[in-house]
Structure formats: structure tokens, C-alpha cells
């Protein structure tokens, strides 16, 4: 069943579909990652692309839960950041295409909020 977005703010960013799929930098058109459709509940992402463009993404749904902060680290399975509780893929960010990023993503299943930050 399709989810109904409550908030969608994209700055210098483009998604392949309404709330998931491939993610692109609007300035250079490079693929910067992949957002899984059905496993996340909320995404806050701020990044600097290698081209110098600063972009951000804020997505959440009408039925999104507040979530609870987790000190657990996301696990990486086949280049995807996955929930450590059930190994479900949440998002892929292509480190080689991004100069830096800061992300908070909430798992839909366990309602945990995971944080990841990279500064090169």
C-alpha cells in the first residue's frame, strides 16, 4: 500500500520517484544514493556533493512515528545501510560521490532513529 507523504522538502536534490529510489544531485546530475521505499519512516539528510552543491532531503509520512534515538550503528550489507535489529536495508549513500553528509533515518519496523555523519 502506498504511503502518503506529509512532508517532502528537497533542496538541490532529485528523487527517481515520489519518496524513494535513486537520489541525484540537481547541480551535477550524479547519483548520490538509493533510498529504500518501504523500510524507512523518516529521513533527514544534509550533504555536500563532490561538485560543491549543498543539498538536503526531509521526508516523512502521515503515519510516521516519532521514533526513539538509538546508539546502535547501522550495519552495512552490500553497500546498504541497514537496521541492526532486522537487517532491512534503509538507504545507500555513495561515499565516493559525497564530500560530506549528516543523516538521521528512522526504521519503520522498530521505530529506531539512526544517525550517521561523514566529513572527509
Amino acid at each position: 500500500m502506498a504511503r502518503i507523504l506529509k512532508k517532502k522538502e528537497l533542496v538541490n536534490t532529485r528523487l527517481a520517484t515520489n519518496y524513494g529510489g535513486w537520489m541525484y544531485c540537481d547541480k551535477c546530475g550524479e547519483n548520490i544514493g538509493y533510498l529504500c521505499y518501504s523500510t524507512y519512516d523518516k529521513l533527514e539528510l544534509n550533504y555536500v556533493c563532490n561538485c560543491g552543491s549543498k543539498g538536503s532531503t526531509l521526508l516523512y509520512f502521515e503515519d510516521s512515528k516519532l521514533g526513539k534515538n538509538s546508539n546502535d550503528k547501522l550495519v552495512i550489507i552490500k553497500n546498504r545501510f541497514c537496521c541492526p535489529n532486522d537487517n532491512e536495508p534503509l538507504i545507500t549513500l555513495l561515499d565516493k560521490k559525497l564530500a560530506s553528509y549528516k543523516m538521521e533515518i528512522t526504521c519503520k519496523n522498530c521505530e529506531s532513529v539512526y544517525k550517521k555523519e561523514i566529513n572527509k
Side-chain angles (χ1 to χ4, degrees), residues 95-110:
D95 285 352
K96 64 183 178 185
K97 305 276 180 89
L98 298 172
S100 64
Y101 65 84
K102 183 176 182 179
M103 172 186 68
E104 286 189 19
I105 192 164
T106 306
C107 176
K108 183 179 176 205
N109 293 331
C110 71

Side-chain angles (χ1 to χ4, degrees), residues 23 32 43-47 55-57 91 93 101-103:
M23 303 170 70
I32 59 165
L43 172 67
E44 291 182 69
L45 172 67
N46 293 291
Y47 68 90
S56 65
T57 302
I91 191 169
L93 292 173
Y101 65 84
K102 183 176 182 179
M103 172 186 68

Side-chain angles (χ1 to χ4, degrees), residues 76-90:
I76 299 174
I77 302 172
K78 296 183 180 178
N79 295 329
R80 296 179 184 133
F81 289 119
C82 301
C83 175
N85 293 312
D86 58 13
N87 291 337
E88 286 292 324
L90 298 169

Side-chain angles (χ1 to χ4, degrees), residues 17-33:
T17 63
N18 193 28
Y19 56 83
W22 294 109
M23 303 170 70
Y24 300 92
C25 169
D26 257 355
K27 182 177 179 187
C28 66
E30 285 289 331
N31 177 349
I32 59 165

Side-chain angles (χ1 to χ4, degrees), residues 33-71:
Y34 183 86
L35 180 59
C36 299
Y37 295 92
S38 60
T39 55
Y40 79 96
D41 211 24
K42 180 179 180 182
L43 172 67
E44 291 182 69
L45 172 67
N46 293 291
Y47 68 90
V48 177
C49 182
N50 284 341
C51 74
S53 177
K54 292 181 181 179
S56 65
T57 302
L58 174 60
L59 298 166
Y60 59 91
F61 303 90
E62 286 187 353
D63 62 348
S64 289
K65 305 285 189 274
L66 183 58
K68 52 194 174 293
N69 286 328
S70 175
N71 291 324

